[in-house]
Amino acid sequence: EKGNYRHFMEKEIHDQPEGCQRTIAAYVDTLTAHTAIPGEVDWARLERVQIVACGTSYIAGLMGKYLIEQLADLPVDVEIASEFRYRQPALRKDALAIAMSQSGETADTLAALRFCQAKGMMTAAVVNAVESTMAREVDVVWPIHCGPEIGVASTKAFTAQVSVLTAVAVAAARARGRIDEAEEQRLVRVLLEAPRLIAESIKLEEAVRSIALDVSRARDVLYLGRGPMYPLALEGALKLKEISYIHAEGYAAGELKHGPIALVDEQTPIVILAPFDSYFEKSASNMQEVMARGGQVIFITDPEGERHAPAGARVVVTAPKCDPLIAPLVLSAPVQLLAYHVAVCKGADVDQPRNLAKSVTVE
Ligand code: M6R
């Protein structure tokens, strides 16, 4: 039940520290700080990973690609299931197929999964519903443990999915000899810190709420990010358009000059996601470019990023300092809360947005 919250979505945003904590605990050994991924995947010999999914689950998969390729040097393809199933993808048996799905019932994702099975690939599914069709049909089930998600806009399932793929990335990196045991343990300890830092990040709710009314008057909103903040930019835009019906686009910040900058004017809020990581300077210069055209920047960063940010942002939202490994998890909360409070300002039906269903079992 909703408890003291107005909507399931708000409750589910607040459930995330616990949902991630339970999920992470299922993929690491908390005593030895090693990863412990269920199933007989031979990470060292694996040539490729193929992720298939829809919507927010697709975006979680894209986040997984950034993490797995960077840490484990293992090629990952991520594809929208409805595209994947109808074109003729070039698949190899020695790849692992991973379906990402909260419900485990999404028609296109299920069809894509069956397609991979028919090609002789090993299959895994990251699902919330462990009784679902996908969970029954795959070789390995990787459950998320965030509890049932009621709000149509996915929030806690997203961070739990990203938690699983983060643990997978660390495990694959170790098995493939890309990191040593000490580094594996360091990264696992970092991951175990995520729930506490997500809880800190949720405390930004008031700061985010204070800009929601302004944003609710916008016609278009742009979300920009680089590296793992690019998938989060996509997720921010999807969340906002789903529940507030404001047109929003997520873009790789480097694409700004290749089109979206034409949208920027004094009325356009631009959410820039930029913790102080190796991409920061580039994102900061994108920020200057949009401000020079009158864009109203909402800068979501961390304490070091706040110190180095160019002056002139409409508002700076400062998430807690964290290791880059878990920045996608920690920065998710303000992004979700912004969409939520903008939708509330607009008086929208947050848990049951128009035209949308929680589980899309027809294509
Ligand atoms: O149950 P699934 O994870 O397979 O669902 C996939 C999408 O339908 C879902 O993520 C959708 O995009 C959400 N409404 C996003 O908030």
Side-chain angles (χ1 to χ4, degrees):
E1 275 314 298
K2 277 189 293 222
N4 291 328
Y5 296 103
R6 269 176 77 183
H7 299 99
F8 279 108
M9 182 180 174
E10 190 187 21
K11 174 179 184 295
E12 287 163 1
I13 291 172
H14 285 259
D15 280 349
Q16 291 179 111
E18 204 193 325
C20 287
Q21 189 269 322
R22 275 190 274 127
T23 303
I24 292 163
Y27 293 87
V28 305
D29 181 327
T30 43
L31 291 177
T32 64
H34 288 108
T35 47
I37 311 296
E40 305 285 299
V41 180
D42 189 352
W43 296 107
R45 294 180 50 193
L46 201 61
E47 297 272 341
R48 175 164 289 281
V49 171
Q50 175 68 59
I51 299 180
V52 290
C54 303
T56 286
S57 293
Y58 163 78
I59 295 170
L62 197 55
M63 195 71 91
K65 175 186 170 81
Y66 278 81
L67 295 165
I68 297 168
E69 291 206 346
Q70 191 192 331
L71 272 171
D73 190 29
L74 172 61
V76 181
D77 287 320
V78 189
E79 193 161 343
I80 291 167
S82 56
E83 281 300 308
F84 179 88
R85 66 179 287 200
Y86 288 121
R87 65 185 188 91
Q88 260 85 55
L91 301 178
R92 299 290 176 271
K93 278 198 181 64
D94 49 19
L96 168 71
I98 306 178
M100 311 287 304
S101 179
Q102 189 283 132
S103 63
E105 301 293 348
T106 300
D108 283 320
T109 308
L110 182 59
L113 188 64
R114 287 175 176 161
F115 183 88
C116 292
Q117 271 168 336
K119 295 278 176 189
M121 293 164 75
M122 181 179 183
T123 56
V126 179
V127 293
N128 199 16
V130 286
E131 313 273 283
S132 59
T133 313
M134 279 181 224
R136 278 200 306 275
E137 294 192 7
V138 284
D139 300 310
V140 194
V141 185
W142 288 331
I144 53 175
H145 297 279
C146 61
E149 190 180 63
I150 311 295
V152 166
S154 183
T155 52
K156 65 178 182 176
F158 173 72
T159 47
Q161 289 168 329
V162 172
S163 299
V164 172
L165 294 181
T166 308
V168 163
V170 176
R174 176 76 183 111
R176 296 168 73 80
R178 297 307 191 279
I179 56 173
D180 63 14
E181 187 185 2
E183 179 64 358
E184 179 191 8
Q185 290 174 308
R186 186 189 73 82
L187 292 172
V188 168
R189 291 196 185 102
V190 164
L191 186 55
L192 286 165
E193 280 287 285
R196 182 181 64 78
L197 291 165
I198 295 169
E200 285 296 306
S201 182
I202 291 172
K203 293 186 187 151
L204 294 165
E205 183 156 16
E206 268 318 303
V208 170
R209 199 215 306 254
S210 68
I211 51 173
L213 187 62
D214 246 27
V215 177
S216 73
R217 298 188 179 118
R219 195 190 55 182
D220 310 292
V221 179
L222 278 178
Y223 287 75
L224 304 175
R226 287 173 184 261
M229 293 297 123
Y230 162 54
L232 192 55
L234 295 179
E235 176 59 5
L238 177 60
K239 231 48 338 150
L240 187 73
K241 74 183 104 174
E242 258 187 317
I243 57 171
S244 75
Y245 317 134
I246 295 173
H247 170 240
E249 300 259 16
Y251 263 100
E255 280 288 287
L256 193 61
K257 290 197 187 74
H258 301 283
I261 201 162
L263 291 174
V264 175
D265 61 16
E266 288 77 14
Q267 271 78 54
T268 320
I270 325 269
V271 181
I272 300 183
L273 300 165
F276 196 71
D277 57 14
S278 58
Y279 306 93
F280 182 83
E281 272 185 35
K282 300 270 175 217
S283 303
S285 85
N286 293 132
M287 174 176 170
Q288 270 159 332
E289 284 157 5
V290 293
M291 287 190 309
R293 285 152 187 91
Q296 302 294 311
V297 172
I298 298 169
F299 198 59
I300 303 188
T301 185
D302 56 14
E304 203 54 25
E306 182 184 357
R307 270 191 286 285
H308 289 85
R314 168 92 180 69
V315 59
V316 178
V317 177
T318 308
K321 176 178 158 52
C322 67
D323 188 281
L325 181 75
I326 55 169
L329 294 169
V330 176
L331 268 68
S332 286
V335 169
Q336 298 163 339
L337 286 164
L338 181 63
Y340 172 74
H341 285 292
V342 170
V344 169
C345 284
K346 294 199 79 173
D349 186 349
V350 176
D351 286 332
Q352 288 294 330
R354 69 184 182 206
N355 309 338
L356 292 175
K358 181 66 184 160
S359 180
V360 183
T361 52
V362 291
E363 60 177 294

